[in-house]
Amino acid sequence: MSEVVDRIRRDWKISDAKRDAGLVTPDCIARKDDISYGKDATWQKLDIYRPKDAEGKLPVIVNVHGGAWVYGDKELYQFYSMDLARRGFAVVNFTYRLCPEFQFPAPVEDTDLVFRFIKSHADEYGLDTGNLFAVGDSAGAHLLGLYLCARSDPGYAKNFPFPIDTTLDIRAAALNCGVYDVHPKDLPDKNLPKILKEFLPQGGTEDELEMISVAPHVSPALPPLYIMTSTDDILKLQAPPLVQALCEANVPVTFRLYAAKDRKGKLFHIFHEDIRQQAAIECNDEECAFFKGLCRPESPSNKRP
């Protein structure tokens, strides 16, 4: 394993632990942990969080975590995901296979497996598959963007060596502080090109970089998207070109640039995961309201007698 990956995993874990210090499972949340969604007992696990007092099937948010393709798991995203669940959703929070242990497209395949799991276990866990949404941040926004493009364009889906399940309708998604163009000249963090060389099977050829950049593969069949970044996000400049591509393809898109309330403070990358911060509360409220505004009426089969 490279020194870059070792350093990211060590330093970011310390930072995330400080951010979430003192947080516990809210009394209002019921959780099911460590559910297998694939054959790999170490990596392919998910949790499901629901409001305790909710009855019947709930609209679903699938969370695709970030971490520069080399870091992160469902444990690090549990408090953020439960915070979304408090707003009236069943949230599916999963771990996927990381680089360098696994190369692309392993995490995209895992994302597809999670949606297949939801389809097969909707009754067991109270999941309303008619109201299915997704969020992703940083590298997770990148992976979710690629997955949505593959679901929306059969021609692009042929780039993936596994079938993409398109039987479920993803109503909308939020891409948060994401990386969408992976060409080295467009990456502000000098570590990302190094990681991509390990992540991509051919070491990051021009064809590979083009294939896993999101904007070139936008199609009109994409669902409505909420794209957000912040004033001091290291990836802030990645968002506008994607928004432009979505507009040109006539994909409904909401774009938000969040700023610190006092206009003097800083609002950094993935600020929305710091759930006690006022800007995070505002962002997560608005994204969940965006999803609720696109919900279909609950079908009678989803309701308990």
Side-chain angles (χ1 to χ4, degrees):
M1 191 179 302
S2 71
E3 186 273 334
V4 169
V5 173
D6 283 340
R7 186 175 69 251
I8 286 175
R9 290 182 175 179
R10 180 187 65 246
D11 294 349
W12 291 9
K13 187 172 184 178
I14 293 170
S15 176
D16 286 342
K18 289 180 180 178
R19 179 197 65 205
D20 293 341
L23 293 175
V24 297
T25 298
D27 291 339
C28 63
I29 293 296
R31 56 186 296 167
K32 301 286 186 180
D33 294 344
D34 296 326
I35 304 165
S36 293
Y37 68 86
K39 296 179 180 179
D40 191 314
T42 300
W43 296 87
Q44 294 171 325
K45 296 281 192 179
L46 60 80
D47 298 344
I48 300 174
Y49 317 123
R50 290 171 50 100
K52 278 183 180 177
D53 60 357
E55 296 185 355
K57 293 184 177 180
L58 293 179
V60 181
I61 298 175
V62 176
N63 176 52
V64 185
H65 73 74
W69 309 289
V70 301
Y71 167 78
D73 55 29
K74 62 186 181 61
E75 279 68 39
L76 289 167
Y77 278 72
Q78 61 180 314
F79 299 113
Y80 164 68
S81 295
M82 287 189 287
D83 194 54
L84 298 182
R86 280 196 316 105
R87 293 166 166 87
F89 295 87
V91 177
V92 178
N93 173 35
F94 71 101
T95 296
Y96 55 78
R97 290 171 289 170
L98 296 174
C99 168
E101 290 86 351
F102 300 90
Q103 290 183 305
F104 182 86
V108 180
E109 182 178 23
D110 289 352
T111 303
D112 188 68
L113 289 173
V114 168
F115 282 97
R116 290 175 183 270
F117 174 92
I118 290 169
K119 181 175 66 174
S120 299
H121 296 82
D123 291 339
E124 182 179 356
Y125 294 106
L127 309 175
D128 179 3
T129 56
N131 287 306
L132 186 57
F133 305 94
V135 297
D137 67 85
S138 196
H142 168 254
L143 295 169
L144 177 56
L146 294 182
Y147 180 65
L148 293 172
C149 289
R151 285 176 51 92
S152 304
D153 182 351
Y156 179 59
K158 292 179 181 178
N159 288 285
F160 296 87
F162 53 87
I164 303 286
D165 188 351
T166 59
T167 57
L168 289 180
D169 179 23
I170 298 178
R171 300 286 295 155
L175 305 181
N176 300 317
C177 301
V179 53
Y180 311 114
D181 188 338
V182 299
H183 292 84
K185 66 180 178 59
D186 295 303
L187 294 175
D189 186 335
K190 65 180 184 300
N191 290 320
L192 295 183
K194 297 176 184 178
I195 292 170
L196 286 166
K197 288 182 179 180
E198 296 189 64
F199 184 45
L200 295 169
Q202 298 178 43
T205 67
E206 183 61 28
D207 286 345
E208 284 182 315
L209 296 175
E210 185 71 10
M211 197 275 279
I212 71 161
S213 291
V214 178
H217 306 293
V218 163
S219 78
L222 282 166
L225 294 175
Y226 191 108
I227 311 293
M228 80 81 172
T229 182
S230 62
T231 50
D232 304 287
D233 177 10
I234 191 174
L235 296 176
K236 177 175 67 174
L237 297 181
Q238 289 269 325
L242 177 61
V243 172
Q244 181 178 347
L246 293 167
C247 290
E248 290 174 354
N250 292 320
V251 176
V253 58
T254 297
F255 175 55
R256 283 295 311 270
L257 174 67
Y258 288 89
K261 286 300 179 182
D262 62 6
R263 302 294 179 179
K264 296 179 181 178
K266 301 287 187 179
L267 203 60
F268 292 106
H269 187 59
I270 62 170
F271 70 92
H272 64 298
E273 292 173 29
D274 186 0
I275 61 173
R276 290 172 285 201
Q277 185 178 176
Q278 184 56 42
I281 295 170
E282 177 185 346
C283 173
N284 296 334
D285 278 347
E286 291 180 350
E287 288 191 358
C288 287
F290 175 75
F291 293 154
K292 288 181 178 180
L294 292 168
C295 276
R296 296 186 178 101
E298 186 180 15
S299 66
S301 63
N302 284 341
K303 298 178 180 179
R304 293 179 179 175

